[in-house]
Amino acid sequence: MTGRTRGTLSRVPPLNLGNQQPKTPLNADQAWRATADRAAETVLFFDFDGTLAPVADDPTQVQPAPKVLAAIETLAPIVRRIAIVSARPVEFLREHFGGLTGVDLYGLYGLEHSHSGGATVTEPAALPWVPTMAELAERGRAELPPGTLVEYKRLSVALHWRTAPQLAATVEQWGRDQAEHLGLRVQVGRMVLEIKPPVDRDKGMVIDELVQGVRGAWYFGDDVSDIKAFAALRARAAGDPDFLGVCVAVANPETGDEVAEAADLTIDSPAALGDFLTEATHRLA
């Protein structure tokens, strides 16, 4: 998108979205001031990769951007809840956020969750698919061309081609064929295809459940899977005029304008988000 500078938030131009719920007509300053009046009844939701942390060639080496952890730790006792909602397993998220009080973790698009450092709870309907996923990961490592990264997550398998973009069509077609043969589902992301169990669980469903009974929520995301989370906030706002929902896209060239156009506000990078959250700690204190 045009008109953005590093570290700044921008309004997204109005779009003709048909029957989609209208956006929140506030700039960032207005949205934070409105949130301050209801902070104790507001939930802050964050995607991880590409949002709180920059995307890396090796997904095991990804670290949160500077200032992110300190800001989340400061914000957690001020707001109703902070939740990380990610395609990563809860165990991975716990390595980064497990030491923070008041942060809930939702992994694998909601197939796993852990509340405030508690045990990991797995969606029962997904458990029978663990052996299938393990076998699929082994098959992928044996059959896919060099340069493909096969990431086994117990309840899903992610096929990455970030270091070999020329393999995109080959890897994606292989993944879709396997999913169709095994009765699985696929989720396309930033230079990755994720293969998941046929269980009805996604980020939008997680957010829909968690915003019931609260007066406000922000969702920060960067990928197409986050659009469902945006939609959940819009649906909640449509049913309650007092509810404040703010959708923020951490923009990137790999998803083009699709995510930014679905958001209320855009920010340029995980590093800029760290600065933005640090400023928010002063606004909400």
Side-chain angles (χ1 to χ4, degrees):
M1 296 188 63
T2 61
R4 289 193 303 261
T5 57
R6 181 174 177 82
T8 62
L9 277 170
S10 304
R11 284 291 304 164
V12 178
L15 300 173
N16 180 9
L17 297 177
N19 294 324
Q20 182 173 324
Q21 298 296 337
K23 297 181 179 182
T24 302
L26 302 175
N27 60 33
D29 181 66
Q30 293 168 333
W32 279 126
R33 282 193 277 113
T35 299
D37 295 335
R38 62 186 75 203
E41 299 176 77
T42 294
V43 184
L44 303 181
F45 296 102
F46 300 94
D47 174 42
F48 181 72
D49 289 281
T51 300
L52 293 177
V55 173
D57 291 347
D58 183 349
T60 66
Q61 300 302 310
V62 171
Q63 296 292 329
K67 302 184 182 180
V68 160
L69 294 179
I72 287 178
E73 186 172 25
T74 301
L75 289 167
I78 298 173
V79 299
R80 172 77 167 265
R81 176 194 305 239
I82 288 180
I84 314 300
V85 187
S86 171
R88 297 281 196 162
V90 162
E91 199 58 40
F92 174 89
L93 298 174
R94 185 178 283 117
E95 292 175 4
H96 298 286
F97 301 98
L100 304 183
T101 302
V103 177
D104 295 338
L105 307 176
Y106 289 81
L108 303 177
Y109 303 95
L111 292 178
E112 298 178 336
H113 66 267
S114 172
H115 295 290
S116 298
T120 299
V121 178
T122 302
E123 180 69 30
L127 285 173
W129 294 94
V130 171
T132 300
M133 294 301 168
E135 293 171 4
L136 179 62
E138 291 183 7
R139 190 178 310 122
R141 293 185 181 111
E143 297 180 5
L144 286 167
T148 309
L149 175 64
V150 179
E151 183 185 8
Y152 171 62
K153 303 182 184 179
R154 191 173 75 102
L155 292 174
S156 71
V157 175
L159 308 176
H160 301 264
W161 55 84
R162 176 165 298 277
T163 60
Q166 73 278 6
L167 298 177
T170 299
V171 176
E172 187 169 348
Q173 188 60 57
W174 186 93
R176 291 186 181 278
D177 290 345
Q178 295 298 317
E180 182 177 3
H181 175 70
L182 296 170
L184 303 172
R185 296 177 182 175
V186 298
Q187 173 72 55
V188 178
R190 294 176 59 178
M191 304 186 80
V192 61
L193 181 82
E194 187 130 16
I195 306 173
K196 310 184 296 181
V199 177
D200 288 329
R201 200 70 178 150
D202 59 37
K203 292 182 178 182
M205 296 174 68
V206 172
I207 274 58
D208 180 63
E209 293 170 1
L210 297 180
V211 296
Q212 302 306 315
V214 302
R215 295 182 59 211
W218 290 59
Y219 187 95
F220 298 83
D222 77 303
D223 211 340
V224 291
S225 64
D226 298 307
I227 295 176
K228 291 183 178 180
F230 292 169
L233 290 193
R234 305 230 187 274
R236 175 74 173 86
D240 181 359
D242 185 54
F243 178 83
L244 175 67
V246 184
C247 305
V248 182
V250 181
N252 67 85
E254 293 173 2
T255 53
D257 288 347
E258 185 176 3
V259 181
E261 289 174 348
D264 300 310
L265 306 167
T266 61
I267 192 166
D268 288 347
S269 67
L273 178 58
D275 293 332
F276 180 65
L277 295 177
T278 300
E279 176 64 22
T281 65
H282 304 301
R283 293 172 179 262
L284 299 184

